Amino acid sequence: DQQVKQNSPSLSVQEGRISILNCDYTNSMFDYFLWYKKYPAEGPTFLISISSIKDKNEDGRFTVFLNKSAKHLSLHIVPSQPGDSAVYFCAASGAVIQGAQKLVFGQGTRLTINP
Amino acid sequence: KAGVTQTPRYLIKTRGQQVTLSCSPISGHRSVSWYQQTPGQGLQFLFEYFSETQRNKGNFPGRFSGRQFSNSRSEMNVSTLELGDSALYLCASSEGQGRLSPLHFGNGTRLTVT
């Protein structure tokens, strides 16, 4: 049962344009969402997060939007750069008990930025 | 600070064997989590250790086990290996204070079971 879904396995965008990566979740107990970026032969690195009390969080070229009623979040990258080519994972977590955090990840979307 | 170190980087094992993977967290980090990455499945949570105690567990069979030492280093063991255990195993460390402590991942151990 995939609680976090990234339905697009891959996405190709021209350099300078906007990249939009999408993520859907099914568990209404999730209240914290993150995006990770992964280059080949490296571990994922944290990119940006959003709490369910917000509907938008921005960090430089990266913006995450959360639509709780649709159980949908998206990551916008503007403008897209060649170095953004990587696999992007969406992740979600529910209540944190005594500091324990368990992330549920999506399958990932491979983003390719074309010059 | 040095990052999360996982050893070995690559492993090839035969069905039925057992394997131990190692993870050294970032200095000062007391929480270590393990994830399995397979194509099409994303990253799936195995377990989390904090101060030598398993604090959280995913939905994996008992063949998957782990432990954490007093220096926060962690090992993961898989017994009676199956072909389906072939995957990238990622370790992540954090200070262990929930959302105030982002996960820092290592580069993973690529396990191939033949």
Side-chain angles (χ1 to χ4, degrees), chain B residues 38-110:
Chain B
T38 53
Q41 291 294 316
L43 281 72
Q44 294 187 287
F45 175 76
L46 280 151
F47 28 66
E48 185 217 359
Y49 286 86
F50 181 82
S51 293
E52 302 179 65
T53 301
Q54 187 180 87
R55 190 162 69 169
N56 220 336
K57 191 176 187 304
N59 298 322
F60 277 81
R63 300 185 296 107
F64 292 81
S65 63
R67 59 178 175 167
Q68 187 180 34
F69 301 95
S70 58
N71 61 358
S72 293
R73 191 176 70 84
S74 177
E75 286 182 348
M76 191 191 93
N77 186 275
V78 188
S79 62
T80 320
L81 283 165
E82 300 176 0
L83 294 178
D85 297 333
S86 295
L88 179 67
Y89 289 88
L90 291 159
C91 164
S93 77
S94 77
E95 293 172 359
Q97 303 305 316
R99 293 161 189 181
L100 299 176
S101 313
L103 296 181
H104 299 265
F105 283 88
N107 290 338
T109 293
R110 171 77 60 187

Side-chain angles (χ1 to χ4, degrees), chain B residues 11-22:
Chain B
L11 263 179
I12 299 176
K13 290 286 187 178
T14 305
R15 264 183 310 176
Q17 287 186 315
Q18 67 111 27
V19 67
T20 299
L21 313 182
S22 181

Side-chain angles (χ1 to χ4, degrees), chain A residues 29-44:
Chain A
M29 300 302 290
F30 289 149
D31 62 355
Y32 188 66
F33 305 89
L34 309 90
W35 285 94
Y36 279 80
K37 173 180 175 179
K38 186 179 185 298
Y39 292 120
E42 293 184 14

